[in-house]
């Protein structure tokens, strides 16, 4: 078998480009490792905030609100205020 034929056979198994598949899987694995490391870093920051006396639940809520569009936040706050007044709060 020629060298080119062997390369094609190694990289194409059952109609699947094995080298390409391996590359994709390895990239996903690296990103999964990075995501875990980032998650650990975020947990550490929340622990730091808690030890500094901040309320972590409120910090999480602030982060969630900051991700929203300003108009959506305003609508939510308006409804929340309306519901509180309706309940006498």
């Amino acid at each position: 078998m020629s060298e080119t034929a062997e390369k094609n056979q190694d990289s194409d198994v059952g109609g699947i480009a094995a080298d390409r598949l391996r590359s994709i899987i390895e990239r996903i694995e690296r990103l999964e490792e990075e995501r875990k490391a980032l998650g650990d870093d975020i947990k550490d920051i929340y622990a730091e905030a808690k030890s500094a006396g901040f309320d972590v639940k409120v910090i999480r809520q602030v982060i969630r609100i900051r991700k929203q569009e300003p108009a959506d936040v305003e609508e939510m706050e308006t409804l929340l205020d309306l519901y509180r007044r309706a309940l006498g709060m």
Side-chain angles (χ1 to χ4, degrees):
M1 200 180 285
S2 74
E3 189 176 320
T4 305
E6 285 181 34
K7 279 187 179 179
N8 286 342
Q9 186 179 16
D10 287 341
S11 63
D12 189 10
V13 179
I16 297 175
D19 292 337
R20 177 80 170 140
L21 178 60
R22 184 177 297 106
S23 170
I24 290 170
I25 290 173
E26 288 171 353
R27 287 171 38 213
I28 291 170
E29 289 172 340
R30 277 193 302 275
L31 290 171
E32 290 286 346
E33 289 173 12
E34 289 177 26
R35 179 167 45 188
K36 183 185 180 320
L38 287 172
D40 291 342
D41 291 346
I42 291 169
K43 285 180 188 176
D44 291 344
I45 294 170
Y46 279 119
E48 177 185 339
K50 185 175 182 176
S51 69
F54 294 104
D55 188 321
V56 173
K57 285 183 187 179
V58 175
I59 290 174
R60 289 182 191 276
Q61 187 173 6
V62 168
I63 291 170
R64 188 171 48 250
I65 290 170
R66 287 173 53 114
K67 290 179 184 179
Q68 297 175 356
E69 293 294 322
D72 294 337
V73 173
E74 186 177 338
E75 181 182 352
M76 179 187 67
E77 288 175 350
T78 300
L79 286 172
L80 182 60
D81 185 50
L82 178 66
Y83 291 0
R84 283 182 175 161
R85 283 188 284 134
L87 296 172
M89 297 174 69

